[in-house]
Amino acid sequence: MKKTIQCAIAGLGRIGSTLEQDRLREKPASHAGAIANHPDCILVSGCDPVKRQREEFSRTWPGARLYTQSKEMLRNETPDIYHIASWTDTHPQLLEEAIDCGIPVIICEKPLANTEQSLTGVLAKAENKTSRIIINHERRFSQDYRAARQIAAGKKFGNLHTISARLYMGKTRPAGEVLLHDGTHMLDIIRFLS
């Protein structure tokens, strides 16, 4: 059967592609890996301003066309799903470009933006268009989390009364940044398990 869902990725770094080479990670471990793993999807293109990222992506996913800029890619490609796996500060611009192009589904890495203000115009525009924006929280699909949820739902050890979680802030990263990037996973998993 021919693959019919065309996918493009903006941001070809770790979560976009290179985590697929990490032997210790459950697969698929990246947006490109998830696309390649899906029987109906085809990875048609990727963009990144960093030459090294494009070269590595090309070696791993040789059939995908490469671009340095997202606007150029969206002028030449018509993906059904657009994956935004770039730095957070680029998300508002990339979301707006994808919405303007009428991309049906946009999967964006969390967080959507560094500030609420940077999203105001983008979200208003999204309400008037047909694009659906999905925020990626992929950890709930990993085998260990699904197994934990099954144990909790099956009440193997009785009813779930409490969930305790810790978030390591580190020495150099501001707490707000850690909460936006890593803390959202923790909150999503708490919701997933309860």
Side-chain angles (χ1 to χ4, degrees), residues 16-34:
S17 175
T18 62
L19 283 175
E20 226 47 52
Q21 280 72 51
D22 186 337
R23 294 175 308 138
L24 302 177
R25 295 242 179 197
E26 180 181 328
K27 304 299 185 278
S30 67
H31 287 268

Side-chain angles (χ1 to χ4, degrees), residues 1-166:
M1 178 175 13
K2 186 175 190 251
K3 296 185 175 202
T4 57
I5 302 170
Q6 296 190 18
C7 301
I9 303 174
L12 307 179
R14 287 174 47 81
I15 194 64
S17 175
T18 62
L19 283 175
E20 226 47 52
Q21 280 72 51
D22 186 337
R23 294 175 308 138
L24 302 177
R25 295 242 179 197
E26 180 181 328
K27 304 299 185 278
S30 67
H31 287 268
I35 294 164
N37 192 53
H38 195 284
D40 296 331
C41 292
I42 184 167
L43 180 54
V44 295
S45 60
C47 72
D48 200 298
V50 179
K51 182 179 180 182
R52 179 179 41 82
Q53 301 287 70
R54 291 191 311 273
E55 290 173 348
E56 188 167 342
F57 183 82
S58 181
R59 282 190 297 275
T60 308
W61 318 104
R65 292 176 288 282
L66 291 173
Y67 297 89
T68 58
Q69 299 297 319
S70 57
K71 279 186 178 182
E72 179 189 6
M73 181 170 69
L74 293 177
R75 267 195 308 270
N76 295 312
E77 309 288 345
T78 53
D80 301 299
I81 303 175
Y82 187 53
H83 297 252
I84 298 174
S86 57
W87 292 104
T88 303
D89 58 349
T90 66
H91 291 179
Q93 174 193 338
L94 294 172
L95 283 164
E96 189 166 6
E97 290 172 5
I99 292 166
D100 286 344
C101 288
I103 305 296
V105 177
I106 305 163
I107 299 175
C108 187
E109 273 301 309
K110 50 70 189 154
L112 278 182
N114 288 320
T115 66
E116 185 178 347
Q117 294 79 14
S118 66
L119 275 180
T120 304
V122 175
L123 295 179
K125 186 177 278 194
E127 287 180 11
N128 297 322
K129 300 284 184 165
T130 58
S131 296
R132 179 175 181 199
I133 300 171
I134 299 169
I135 303 169
N136 186 41
H137 275 96
E138 87 291 341
R139 293 183 189 174
R140 63 172 40 211
F141 299 103
S142 66
Q143 292 175 6
D144 52 353
Y145 285 118
R146 289 192 322 226
R149 184 178 192 199
Q150 191 172 19
I151 290 169
K155 300 182 182 183
K156 183 174 182 176
F157 302 108
N159 291 326
L160 179 64
H161 295 286
T162 304
I163 295 176
S164 296
R166 291 183 185 190

